[in-house]
Structures are given as C-alpha cells and as structure tokens.
Amino acid sequence: MIVSRSGKVVDVCGYDPSTTSRQLEVVTAAIAYDRPTTGETIILVLHQAIHVPNMDHHLLSTMQSRTNDVTINDRPKFLTACPNDNDHCILAPSDDPDDITRLPLRIHGTISYLNVRKPTAAEFANCEHVSLTADAPDWDPRTTKYQLVEDSLVDNAGRLLERGDLKDRHFISPLYSELSTNNPRIISETVSQEHAILHKIDPRLNDHHFSQQLSDMVQISSVRSAYKGPAVDAIKLARNWGIGIEAPTKTIQATTQRGARTILHPSLTRRRPTNDRFIRLRRLNHNLYGDLMKADVKSKRMNEYAHIFGADNGWCRAHPLRTKGQAPEVLSTLFNRDGVPPALIVDGAKEFVSGDYKKRVQQAGCDLRTTEPYSPWQNTAEGTIRELKKDTARVMLRTGTPKRLWDDCLEHRAYIRSHTALNIYNLDGEVPETVMTGQTANIGPWCDFQWYQWVKYYDETAKFPDDKMSLGRYLGPSPGIGSLLTGKILKNNGNYHHTSTFRALTSEEMADDAKKRLHNDFNTYVNDKLGDKAKPEDLSEDDLTPTYDRYEDDSGEGLDLLPDRDEQQHDYYDRYLNAEVLLARGDKMVTGKVTGRKREADGNLRGNGHAVPMLDTRTYTVEFPDEAKATYAANVLAEGMYLQCDENSNQFLLLDSIIDQKTEKTAIQPGNNRFRYHGRLVQKRTTKGWQLCVQWKDGTTTWELLSDLKESFPSEVAEYSVATGIDHLPAFKWWVPYILKKRNAIIAKVRSRYHKRTHKFGIRVPKTVQEARELDQINGNNLWEQALLKEMSNVRVAFKMLNKEDKAPVGHTKNKCHIVFDVKMETLRRKCRLVAGGHMTEAPCPSVTYSSVVSRESVRIALTLAALNALEVKAADIQNAYLTAPLVSEKIWTVCGPEFGKDKGRKAFVVRALYGLRAARHDYRTFLSEYMQNLGWKPCLADPNVYYMPMTRPDDGFEYNYAYALLYIDDILIIHHDAMGALKKID
C-alpha cells in the first residue's frame, strides 16, 4: 500500500551499465506481517522507498534500516556457533521503548526473506505500526559518509588502526551493509533459434530475458536522485489560492513544500504522523557538535551540568542542566529557539545514545552521528567548551561574579561568542550567527550592557517609602521570557527579576560616595545569599588563561652578540618530542604538541632520522588543544618550527584581538599618578600592574603584560582602551592620545609580530633552573639537566670560590648571575649559558666595549685572494671564547645560585670575561689580539680584525705574500696553504 508520494524520483539501472535506466518514484509504503504464533497483524512502514510497479516482491536496504535503529541479524541459525531466538531475525523498536518487535526470517533457496502481504485499509488504521526505515533525514544511497567512517577505522590491509592513527574527522556509529538478493524468475520465451540456443546455455545470454530479468529483480546498482516535481503544481496552487498562473509559478520556484500532504490510501484515521517538527522548525546551515560539561559548584538554579553545542565556525550555545538525564529536554529548547542542524555529532555517552535523545533528533529531521568512544578530539565542541570556560572564568573574575552564577554567565558568553566576528576563514567576515541562520544577526539584546553591570530597574512590588527604582546587577537577556529586550536582573536578595524597564547607572551615580556604600551593601547581601565571588584559586588551571613568567631583567631586547660554542651533539634523544608546532589543520593554523613517535605493527619505530629534514622519514603523533590527534612527518614538523620563527629564531605570534584586561595591586590608581619633580607636578609614565588578555591567530588566549603589547601593537591597544573606556586611567592616559594622533604615521614602522619568549622552535624554554628540571620530569628526559651540567663544567674556571665565612671583598662590585636557556636551530639541541647581569654595573671602557667583528668586504677580498692563489680556506669556532680571557677591567663578585649545586650560596670572585659583563667583550678582544700578535700575526690597518702573516708555499717556493686570519667574535677564518696546521697552532 502506497501511503504518500514524496515528489522525488530516482534513476534506477541494473548491474550492466549498458542497459537503459528507469525513473521510479520515492514513496512511503506499508506492508503487513502476520505473526505465525498469534495471528496478530503488524504494519511495517517503509519510508523513502522506491516504488517498482511490476515487482512482486520487496527488497530491503539493510543499511537504510540499520540507520533507523533496526537490527538485522541475517546470518542463518545453522551458520551461527551458538544460535538463539534473535539470530536470523529483524529486531525493530516499537512505540514502547522496552518492547522490541521480533520478525523471524525464513530461507528460500539461498535467500533470507520475510513473508509479508498488502494490508487492508482497516488493518492500516487499527494495527500496530513499526517503521523499518526513517522518514527523515533524506536518505542518500550515494553518500560517502559511511565509506569515510570505514576507511578511518582500518588500514590498507583492513586491520583496525591504533587510536593515535585515527584521522581528525568526525565519526558516525560504525555501520555495515550487506545486499539482500532474491532468486530470479526464468521466463522461457524465445523469438529465434539463436535466442533459444543462447537461452539454453544461459538465460542471461538472451537480451529479452536478461532485460525482463533485470526488470523483475530490480537489483539496484546505481541510483541517482532527481526532483520529479512539487506535490502541488502551479495550476493546482492557482486554483487553491485563487490567484493567476504567473504568481504561483514564481512562488513554487522560490519555496519548498515540506509537509505537503499526498495521502493515497483511503483511511483517514492515520492521515499523517503528528510529528510536524521537520515542517515548523527553523533549519540551521551547518552541523553541530554536542558535549556535556560538569561544574564543580551547584548554581543558584541548582544546575551542575551544561549541554554545549558548537559549530566549527565558532557558533555555540550553552544550556545548563540539573542532571545528565535532562539532555533530551535541551534538544527541544535548542530546536525551537535556534533551529535544527543538518546533523548533530556527539560522543558515545549514554545520555546521547538513549532512545529519547535519538528519537527527538530523528523527529526533527536531523541526522544523529556519534564519535568513536574515548576519542574527544573528534568533537569540535571540546574546543568550544575550553574557550567558553576560559572566557566565562575571565569575565567572572574581572566583575567579581559569585561562583553560583556560572550557568548564567556561561549562557551569556555563548551568545556573545556567536554574535562576534571571529577570525575564522569560513565566516568570510560574517558573525557565526549569520552564517548559521542565513539571516543578519541582531546584537541588540546584548550590545547595550556589560555582564554584571550596575543597573537601576523599576520594581513594581516596592512599597512606600521605598524607591521603586531599585539597584541590581545585569545578567543578560531573558531567553524565552517577554520580548527580546527583557533583561535578567539580580536583586540584592539573590533572586532574579525579569523586566524590560531598566537602565545603566550614570558616571555621576558611580562616583557618588553614598552610592558606593549602597553598592558595597548590595554585594554583601548577595554574597550572603549566593556565596563568595569567584577567585583564581577556585578554578582549575585548565579554566584559567595562562600567564607566563619573565626574567627579572627581561627588557625585551635579549642579550646582544652572545657567541655560540661548540657542543657535543647527542643522538640518544629525539629533537622533535614535546615540541609545540604551528601546523595547518583544516582552514586554520593551530599549535599542537608532539607527543611521540609512530610505530609499526611489530612495535618498531617507523622511519629513519636524517640530518637533512627533507630526507627524514620518521612520523610523529601530534596532539592539539582540543585533544585531537593526528600524524605528521618529520619534515612537516621541521617546516612548521622554522616558519613560526623570525630571523633571530624568536617564535612569534600574530594578534587576533584583545578581549579582556586585569590589574594587580601595583597598578597606579587615579589620583595617585603624579609626583613632584623640581617643584612641579609630573605625570607618572608607567604601565606597571596591567595585563591584557590576547587572542592569537592560532585560537589560543594568554595574559600578556601591557608594557609588551604597547610596544608590539600600540594602535590595537590604544583602540581597545578607548572602546572599553579605560583610556583615562593612568596606565593609558599618558600615551594613548599620542598613539591615536600619530596612528597612520607609525603603523608602517611598528612591529607586527609579538615574540613569544616562552617557546623557541616549538620547544618550551625554561626561565629558571627549577623550571628546567620540572620540564625534564614532564617530558620524561634529562635534556635540560645535561645541558646545564655541561655549561657549569665549562664555566667553573671563571669563578674563584671564597670560604663560607669570608665577607664580601672591598672594592668589588656585586653582580647577579643567572642561566639563559636556549634551543639551537640546527638540531633542536638544548643549550644553557651562565651570564652576568651587565645592567647592574657601569661600563669601565665605554669607547671600546665591542668584540672583534670583521667586515663583509674583508671576507670577500680574502676569499678572492684564496681563489686566485689556490689557497685552503678553513673555518673554526673558539670554544668557551670569552672564558679564555682574564677579566682585568672590572672587579666583580657574586653569590652562587642553584646551578652551582653544592656551592649554592657561597661567594665567589669572577676572574674570567664572563658573558654579560660590560667589560667582557673588551677584555676578550684585547686578549685575543695580543695572543694573535704573539703568534706572529699582525693586524691590518684597514680592518683590525684581519690578521696577516708573510708566507711562502714550501712545496713549490711560491711566495703568495700573506696568509690571513679573519676574526668574528669567536669564529675564525684561515686563508693559508696549510690552513688546518695554522688552526692547530692557534689552538
């Protein structure tokens, strides 16, 4: 029985592509099955079925049924090891979730079948209905999503992949399909002797019989959907609406007819299912990902969980829950308030795979997909939850919001994120809300007020002599209550008040001392009812935006002209492990951490290392912030490491936007920003105590010092201060007006990149000895410890230890030494260097404090002479260069730090030219020049860093005038007929 027609047709052809195809209708049909034990009749409904008029049997698509939660066990009982009643059966869910309709299969020849018939109108109206296929979403037999799922789970040999190999894509519940077959009927018609002979050999050799056989079997091997036409055409629409023919034609072209009824069976008791969600609900344009978030504090509304929905374009919604069991109810709110996505992708949590949850998704015409168990990286909502929690935490800490209002703040920030123009490629300059709904987003309900802002609202319940204009806190719009302009106001008794009659406090009211006392009383009452405000220590480290420590003497410029030193390259560690690399992921760049090497099935490491990255065949597992994992080759990682660094090997970040600010106790307060200098008041020019929260292009957020951002992004910081109304504060007032006035002139000159001093080539660089040892523990190696031991063994000669009871020497200046950590580009080798604080002393010889630096022209001339005279060219590096020179221009003493091990805390003289000292370069250059002259080398008058020596080649007596030695700090270039011998003499 055909129940309704969809208006769609499909092109159907047999297994032989040379045969002609047929256009067949897509309908909803019903067949009757009689239980053999009780005689009860069950109506089996087949939605989105292909109607073949001349076929006397039915073919069931097992894949289509299985996606409708119908279990098809088509293995016969005699082929099953331990058969039971559910083997060789179709198990279909019924209206009662606890009741399963069992349809036992039979065998005809080698074909499994179910004995059915055409139902009567009375049976269709009165008997139980069971749907073998779903009416929504639209079934597409040519879809590739099941193929992608299967390919993602196995390798080329068909073996299951290990979890780390799974590609970064989203998974549907693993499904499989087997085609049912049916024995063909043989019709013995022949039209000639040749046809008769061919038919006798094989009936399929007879064209007529083969065509008839295909028509009877309708073994569909290719299906292409097409739109037959609307259920209501222009003529019928003109007649029904009473309008001309031209307007209906245009109307049909510009509209859909989802839900138009074409009832073909005579019964009116079951005209159509009562579910009309797929008709009346708005449709969203992109898939959604869902996940549950658990809070540590029960909210004022008694919520402990939140169901987060997110899209890959930044759109998100947060729906608080009291229990996980309320997850299906959230779907109704989402679908009615926002719309229905094409597909909803969730993990395998029991709340999401429950019958009620799946039923609500299916009734709305949405495709429910699940990710693989224990694979959170496949769910985009994980990243949305992470950034949403960080954003909510920042806002609550900045505004002093009580912890029990986390659910209100989470809802509000989700709306704000959805209506913000994010730097995401597929948004194309639009906000996520516009892209998701297809309509221009309206930010009116959210743009007038800040979260937890002081407001005055009209309280109708206030009685004389109380003022009806009461004080409150703004908690955002009230979704589902009143108009869009209705706001949720927090009263001083901790309760909510929903009203559209409220306003923000004026600046005069905020500055009034009497009003401030009322504000303090309000906060006290609220804290008594709802508990204390949120504090950083109440939140987990993952929920807080990270802040990185800096050196005490970090001026942002680093140490100039620190020479490199030869160090042994160790091959027992992997240079890529634990590196943080900026990699392409989809249409954006994301920072991932290298967590380990890939291994073959036999456990051996995959690939071989090579000094040249392009020849390195190793592969690695990279974990991204949303816990997704992917596999990358070593050369891709090397390219990512070098591309994220500038010419000085500093890792840089590109600014996306500034999203928040915070102050410390050391920040200058208004009214205390001036000091008296030579009898007049002068404004203090400092940014001390201020930090800004920055969102970078890779999607991460960090707290950065205002002093750093002011230098790297002055225009953006100035605009942010004006937009947020903080440009009048002392930390901004002294420089923001100048920046805005000179903005166009300085934009071209300002640095557009911010150096990330915490990482180099993706490797986390420590700032203290203790942090270096902690990183070794985290990374499971001792790379930093080995580098530290090597440096200290080399630098010990620069110190003369004093006895513990000795006092600080008279006439010597105290200087502080510390370890500088670095990562070398060539091999990602960890490197440590003990340096002195040169900023703590004055330069003793200000006119000659530079090192030996040969000019570029001298190098070119020397190489030309070498080529003309057939001389050897050798280059070398002077190990521990500065430490070879005695310190004679300064008298320095220091207190040994933790890098000295058992000598920690002892006093020591600095007796060698230690890196970082003001006189180190001068003393090293003087010592090196005297040493070279003692060996017979003379400095050139044109370039004092070029040394020459008269020389004659001994083998042929050729007098080539001079041999040359060129010095560049600790590097030496020799032009000589026996260059290696000359280097050994210098050594």
Side-chain angles (χ1 to χ4, degrees):
M1 173 186 287
I2 298 179
V3 179
S4 62
R5 303 184 188 277
S6 67
K8 295 181 179 180
V9 297
V10 293
D11 288 335
V12 179
C13 65
Y15 290 110
D16 185 356
S18 64
T19 59
T20 58
S21 62
R22 303 172 56 188
Q23 280 201 341
L24 301 176
E25 283 189 287
V26 178
V27 300
T28 295
I31 54 179
Y33 170 76
D34 299 321
R35 290 185 184 270
T37 54
T38 62
E40 176 189 3
T41 299
I42 299 176
I43 303 300
L44 306 179
V45 181
L46 301 171
H47 298 286
Q48 305 187 67
I50 301 174
H51 179 220
V52 186
N54 349 356
M55 193 167 69
D56 61 353
H57 58 274
H58 311 287
L59 296 177
L60 181 64
S61 171
T62 55
M63 180 73 78
Q64 189 176 1
S65 296
R66 283 168 174 147
T67 57
N68 191 41
D69 288 339
V70 175
T71 303
I72 300 180
N73 299 323
D74 51 358
R75 180 190 291 270
K77 288 183 172 63
F78 76 91
L79 294 177
T80 305
C82 298
N84 55 48
D85 292 341
N86 291 335
D87 289 323
H88 207 219
C89 284
I90 297 177
L91 304 176
S94 61
D95 295 337
D96 185 358
D98 298 328
D99 186 20
I100 300 295
T101 301
R102 181 174 169 273
L103 307 174
L105 297 174
R106 296 288 185 264
I107 295 181
H108 178 71
T110 60
I111 307 299
S112 297
Y113 75 96
L114 183 70
N115 194 14
V116 296
R117 59 179 175 82
K118 182 178 179 178
T120 64
E123 289 174 333
F124 183 85
N126 300 316
C127 294
E128 178 188 357
H129 283 223
V130 174
S131 295
L132 293 184
T133 58
D135 60 343
D138 291 343
W139 172 253
D140 181 10
R142 299 172 65 94
T143 181
T144 60
K145 62 185 180 182
Y146 306 110
Q147 174 188 346
L148 295 176
V149 172
E150 190 70 13
D151 291 345
S152 301
L153 295 174
V154 298
D155 58 15
N156 292 334
R159 295 187 296 267
L160 280 175
L161 293 172
E162 51 185 297
R163 190 172 309 281
D165 279 338
L166 297 181
K167 299 178 175 61
D168 185 20
R169 61 167 65 99
H170 311 287
F171 288 79
I172 306 169
S173 298
L175 305 173
Y176 55 92
S177 174
E178 299 178 9
L179 292 176
S180 299
T181 57
N182 202 339
N183 275 335
R185 293 181 304 145
I186 307 299
I187 303 176
S188 301
E189 282 189 12
T190 59
V191 294
S192 67
Q193 184 177 2
E194 293 83 354
H195 290 162
I197 295 174
L198 291 173
H199 175 73
K200 186 175 181 180
I201 298 173
D202 191 331
R204 290 173 293 182
L205 299 178
N206 185 307
D207 293 343
H208 176 73
H209 292 278
F210 183 58
S211 176
Q212 184 63 41
Q213 186 178 357
L214 289 177
S215 177
D216 289 344
M217 291 180 62
V218 194
Q219 298 282 15
I220 302 173
S221 67
S222 178
V223 176
R224 179 177 60 85
S225 299
Y227 185 59
K228 178 182 178 182
V232 178
D233 57 17
I235 297 177
K236 185 175 181 180
L237 184 64
R239 182 174 64 250
N240 291 345
W241 285 10
I243 57 179
I245 190 62
E246 183 178 356
T249 302
K250 295 180 179 179
T251 301
I252 289 176
Q253 292 176 351
T255 59
T256 64
Q257 295 186 19
R258 192 169 59 241
R261 292 179 289 187
T262 55
I263 307 302
L264 303 180
H265 62 86
S267 173
L268 294 179
T269 57
R270 287 180 179 266
R271 290 174 49 174
R272 198 165 182 86
T274 56
N275 171 34
D276 63 345
R277 296 179 182 87
F278 66 99
I279 305 173
R280 60 181 170 83
L281 295 178
R282 184 171 59 176
R283 319 303 291 187
L284 300 177
N285 296 330
H286 295 269
N287 295 341
L288 286 183
Y289 303 84
D291 204 355
L292 282 180
M293 183 197 83
K294 188 179 186 308
D296 297 330
V297 178
K298 184 177 292 187
S299 73
K300 170 181 163 45
R301 293 185 284 167
M302 308 303 293
N303 294 316
E304 292 187 71
Y305 301 88
H307 198 340
I308 308 295
F309 298 94
D312 53 9
N313 56 22
W315 189 94
C316 59
R317 288 291 188 271
H319 295 271
L321 307 171
R322 293 189 176 183
T323 63
K324 292 183 178 181
Q326 293 181 331
E329 301 176 15
V330 168
L331 292 175
S332 300
T333 304
L334 174 73
F335 294 160
N336 284 281
R337 189 179 296 171
D338 299 302
V340 181
L344 179 59
I345 304 169
V346 295
D347 58 27
K350 63 179 181 179
E351 296 80 16
F352 299 146
V353 298
S354 65
D356 192 13
Y357 195 94
K358 297 171 67 175
K359 183 178 180 181
R360 296 200 186 198
V361 173
Q362 192 177 67
Q363 288 176 344
C366 179
D367 184 15
L368 181 64
R369 308 176 191 174
T370 58
T371 61
E372 187 192 11
Y374 309 107
S375 304
W377 55 85
Q378 299 169 6
N379 193 332
T380 298
E382 295 283 348
T384 302
I385 289 178
R386 183 189 71 251
E387 290 304 321
L388 199 56
K389 289 171 68 175
K390 286 184 178 181
D391 188 16
T392 303
R394 286 195 303 269
V395 173
M396 293 183 66
L397 291 174
R398 175 167 52 87
T399 57
T401 305
K403 291 181 290 186
R404 292 184 60 195
L405 296 180
W406 66 263
D407 51 350
D408 295 294
C409 189
L410 190 72
E411 283 183 294
H412 183 261
R413 299 311 299 179
Y415 277 108
I416 295 297
R417 181 176 176 84
S418 300
H419 289 78
T420 302
L422 305 173
N423 187 34
I424 298 177
Y425 176 77
N426 56 11
L427 286 179
D428 195 22
E430 300 289 348
V431 300
E433 188 75 17
T434 298
V435 174
M436 286 295 292
T437 62
Q439 301 175 350
T440 302
N442 174 30
I443 64 172
W446 297 276
C447 65
D448 288 331
F449 299 92
Q450 301 177 24
W451 167 260
Y452 215 58
Q453 182 178 351
W454 291 107
V455 295
K456 282 288 188 71
Y457 68 95
Y458 188 78
D459 188 1
E460 301 88 348
T461 61
K463 298 181 180 179
F464 181 83
D466 294 336
D467 189 1
K468 289 186 176 294
M469 294 299 294
S470 301
L471 186 65
R473 290 276 202 171
Y474 177 72
L475 301 182
S478 302
I481 300 178
S483 66
L484 290 176
L485 299 180
T486 301
K488 182 190 295 185
I489 310 299
L490 179 67
K491 303 167 65 175
N492 60 359
N493 60 3
N495 294 328
Y496 300 135
H497 182 76
H498 301 276
T499 179
S500 58
T501 308
F502 63 95
R503 65 169 178 83
L505 268 63
T506 64
S507 56
E508 291 78 9
E509 290 174 325
M510 293 295 297
D512 185 77
D513 292 337
K515 300 293 184 184
K516 290 181 179 180
R517 287 192 292 272
L518 293 177
H519 296 173
N520 294 332
D521 294 341
F522 183 97
N523 290 333
T524 301
Y525 297 148
V526 168
N527 291 338
D528 290 341
K529 296 292 184 180
L530 301 181
D532 295 335
K533 64 181 182 180
K535 300 177 182 178
E537 53 268 23
D538 298 331
L539 303 171
S540 66
E541 185 176 350
D542 294 336
D543 297 338
L544 296 173
T545 304
T547 303
Y548 298 114
D549 298 330
R550 287 172 168 76
Y551 287 125
E552 298 177 3
D553 59 342
D554 189 359
S555 61
E557 300 298 330
L559 296 171
D560 296 333
L561 295 176
L562 291 181
D564 297 331
R565 293 182 304 200
D566 266 345
E567 295 190 35
Q568 179 70 29
Q569 178 180 348
H570 300 282
D571 56 1
Y572 60 84
Y573 66 87
D574 195 308
R575 60 180 179 172
Y576 294 115
L577 290 182
N578 302 297
E580 296 182 16
V581 191
L582 191 65
L583 299 169
R585 186 163 175 240
D587 55 6
K588 54 186 177 181
M589 301 297 292
V590 183
T591 300
K593 184 176 182 179
V594 182
T595 57
R597 282 276 301 276
K598 295 301 298 178
R599 294 180 179 271
E600 302 289 358
D602 57 4
N604 293 327
L605 292 173
R606 183 182 299 175
N608 297 313
H610 198 280
V612 179
M614 292 303 295
L615 302 179
D616 196 331
T617 59
R618 292 173 295 180
T619 56
Y620 295 83
T621 299
V622 178
E623 183 175 349
F624 293 97
D626 58 358
E627 299 185 3
K629 294 183 178 180
T631 301
Y632 287 88
N635 59 340
V636 177
L637 298 179
E639 181 182 10
M641 289 177 176
Y642 297 143
L643 287 180
Q644 66 187 2
C645 298
D646 62 6
E647 63 276 6
N648 296 320
S649 301
N650 291 313
Q651 186 173 348
F652 61 79
L653 295 173
L654 298 182
L655 174 73
D656 182 21
S657 60
I658 302 173
I659 56 179
D660 205 352
Q661 77 274 348
K662 67 178 181 180
T663 58
E664 299 175 350
K665 295 181 179 179
T666 56
I668 302 298
Q669 300 298 323
N672 191 30
N673 60 329
R674 292 180 179 274
F675 66 98
R676 189 168 298 278
Y677 181 74
H678 292 305
R680 59 188 183 92
L681 289 177
V682 179
Q683 185 175 359
K684 295 181 181 179
R685 299 190 174 188
T686 180
T687 58
K688 189 175 182 180
W690 276 85
Q691 293 187 18
L692 300 180
C693 183
V694 178
Q695 179 171 318
W696 305 104
K697 290 289 186 181
D698 63 357
T700 60
T701 53
T702 60
W703 287 105
E704 303 293 344
L705 294 178
L706 174 58
S707 58
D708 292 338
L709 295 178
K710 183 177 73 69
E711 300 300 325
S712 298
F713 310 103
S715 182
E716 289 83 351
V717 175
E719 291 174 351
Y720 173 80
S721 66
V722 173
T724 54
I726 59 176
D727 56 312
H728 66 283
L729 298 179
F732 299 89
K733 187 176 181 180
W734 61 273
W735 63 274
V736 166
Y738 169 78
I739 291 295
L740 296 178
K741 182 178 180 181
K742 301 292 185 179
R743 178 178 2 187
N744 295 335
I746 67 174
I747 280 180
K749 300 180 181 180
V750 74
R751 291 178 294 174
S752 61
R753 294 170 173 174
Y754 174 75
H755 290 167
K756 186 177 182 180
R757 300 185 179 92
T758 60
H759 293 70
K760 198 167 184 180
F761 302 113
I763 305 296
R764 180 72 181 270
V765 180
K767 297 174 180 61
T768 63
V769 174
Q770 180 181 356
E771 185 181 356
R773 290 167 176 161
E774 291 175 355
L775 285 178
D776 279 346
Q777 293 180 355
I778 295 174
N779 297 332
N781 54 40
N782 61 347
L783 302 182
W784 288 115
E785 183 68 25
Q786 291 294 331
L788 181 62
L789 292 176
K790 187 170 188 177
E791 167 64 14
M792 294 309 299
S793 64
N794 292 330
V795 82
R796 280 274 185 173
V797 297
F799 297 91
K800 180 182 178 182
M801 295 295 173
L802 300 178
N803 296 325
K804 294 183 179 180
E805 62 275 6
D806 291 344
K807 298 182 179 180
V810 179
H812 285 64
T813 303
K814 183 180 179 181
N815 200 307
K816 185 178 180 181
C817 300
H818 63 272
I819 292 289
V820 174
F821 299 89
D822 195 10
V823 178
K824 302 303 294 181
M825 181 181 70
E826 298 83 3
T827 59
L828 301 185
R829 170 172 46 88
R830 277 53 163 187
K831 185 173 182 179
C832 298
R833 175 170 294 141
L834 183 68
V835 298
H839 63 290
M840 302 177 66
T841 59
E842 297 293 334
C845 306
S847 60
V848 283
T849 58
Y850 54 86
S851 301
S852 303
V853 180
V854 67
S855 68
R856 189 176 303 173
E857 290 76 12
S858 298
V859 175
R860 290 173 177 169
I861 295 173
L863 294 177
T864 302
L865 291 173
L868 293 175
N869 297 314
L871 301 178
E872 294 181 0
V873 178
K874 296 290 184 181
D877 180 85
I878 304 175
Q879 187 177 5
N880 301 322
Y882 278 22
L883 299 182
T884 60
L887 182 66
V888 296
S889 300
E890 289 184 280
K891 294 182 178 181
I892 303 296
W893 71 279
T894 187
V895 177
C896 298
E899 60 274 6
F900 284 86
K902 63 180 181 180
D903 290 329
K904 177 183 176 181
R906 293 183 61 180
K907 302 180 183 65
F909 288 119
V910 180
V911 296
R912 296 291 181 97
L914 187 64
Y915 299 106
L917 291 177
R918 293 294 185 95
R921 301 172 188 174
H922 171 265
D923 289 353
Y924 167 68
R925 182 182 184 278
T926 302
F927 171 77
L928 183 59
S929 178
E930 293 176 354
Y931 182 78
M932 292 294 292
Q933 293 182 57
N934 291 336
L935 292 177
W937 295 88
K938 296 182 179 180
C940 179
L941 296 179
D943 189 340
N945 298 304
V946 176
Y947 292 82
Y948 64 94
M949 178 186 294
M951 192 62 57
T952 300
R953 192 153 48 202
D955 53 352
D956 57 4
F958 175 67
E959 185 177 349
Y960 57 87
N961 294 328
Y962 299 102
Y964 295 94
L966 288 72
L967 302 180
Y968 188 95
I969 308 178
D970 64 338
D971 294 312
I972 183 170
L973 185 70
I974 295 292
I975 310 295
H976 199 283
H977 69 271
D978 183 14
M980 184 57 69
L983 282 175
K984 290 182 178 180
K985 289 182 180 180
I986 296 176
D987 188 37

